[in-house]
Amino acid sequence: MAKPRLVKLNKIGSDAMGFISVVEKKKLPFTVKRVYWTYHTPTEIIRGHHAHKKLEQIIVAVHGSIKFTLQDNKGKEFEFLLNHPQKALYIPKGYWRTISFSKDAVLLCLASEKYDAKDYIRDYKLFMKVKEKKKKK
Ligand code: TYD
């Protein structure tokens, strides 16, 4: 199973002028089919609570900080704090996620698939059952 990982993006510019970070197609592990961003999330709200069957994502906190807790189908947890626009998180398919946001955080997502409600596993028990099925093989 592919592991989630942080990727340090390039940074062009200077303290005096400001910076640009770039993500180019040739450096991505998938073809981007969708881009979305989330914002104005209240700090007390935890989002996510789902896994994806197929979707892979690259996530950047373009503003503020965002904490991701990911869990694989064996129950292993991975925590990532996105707290700089140069930091990206690669999330492979099959990870249960919960996400919390600092005030004014903006999350940018590059996604490998178009939106498909059927790609979501929103039932944690079902997510764990996927694991049981795999174990029996
Ligand atoms: P969801 O992916 O559950 O957001 P989060 O993980 O941040 O809590 O999406 C929230 C709602 O938005 C859900 O009803 C599906 C809808 N949505 C779309 O219609 N298109 C999209 O591209 C995304 C990401 C979500």
Side-chain angles (χ1 to χ4, degrees):
M1 190 178 183
K3 292 229 166 70
R5 61 178 187 275
L6 285 176
V7 179
K8 193 172 180 187
L9 304 175
N10 65 346
K11 191 169 91 165
I12 305 161
S14 64
D15 286 337
M17 289 296 292
F19 296 96
I20 300 175
S21 288
V22 187
V23 178
E24 284 187 276
K25 192 180 168 186
K26 62 183 179 197
K27 297 220 171 150
L28 289 174
F30 55 80
T31 302
V32 176
K33 292 201 186 143
R34 176 170 53 121
V35 177
Y36 66 83
W37 47 100
T38 71
Y39 47 92
H40 297 176
T41 313
T43 52
E44 68 275 17
I45 292 297
I46 298 177
R47 295 191 65 123
H49 305 287
H50 66 259
H52 286 282
K53 295 174 191 167
K54 193 170 168 204
L55 185 73
E56 299 172 66
Q57 294 158 293
I58 302 269
I59 311 267
V60 180
V62 289
H63 188 257
S65 64
I66 302 171
K67 194 177 97 179
F68 269 81
T69 305
L70 302 176
Q71 196 190 326
D72 71 13
N73 56 8
K74 295 180 185 82
K76 185 170 178 190
E77 269 196 11
F78 302 80
E79 277 213 350
F80 296 97
L81 183 67
L82 295 175
N83 56 1
H84 193 283
Q86 205 186 348
K87 245 183 187 182
L89 173 61
Y90 168 64
I91 309 180
K93 65 179 179 182
Y95 284 86
W96 189 265
R97 78 281 315 275
T98 49
I99 317 158
S100 54
F101 297 78
S102 71
K103 188 169 159 37
D104 295 340
V106 180
L107 177 157
L108 177 72
C109 176
L110 311 181
S112 68
E113 308 297 329
K114 291 194 281 186
Y115 174 72
D116 177 6
K118 293 193 291 301
D119 188 61
Y120 283 73
I121 304 171
R122 290 194 180 272
D123 180 334
Y124 185 72
K125 281 187 186 161
L126 204 67
F127 175 67
M128 296 311 268
K129 267 189 197 155
V130 174
K131 165 189 138 189
E132 280 167 25
K133 268 186 207 155
K134 277 191 178 166
K135 263 189 174 174
K136 277 179 193 165
K137 274 183 189 169

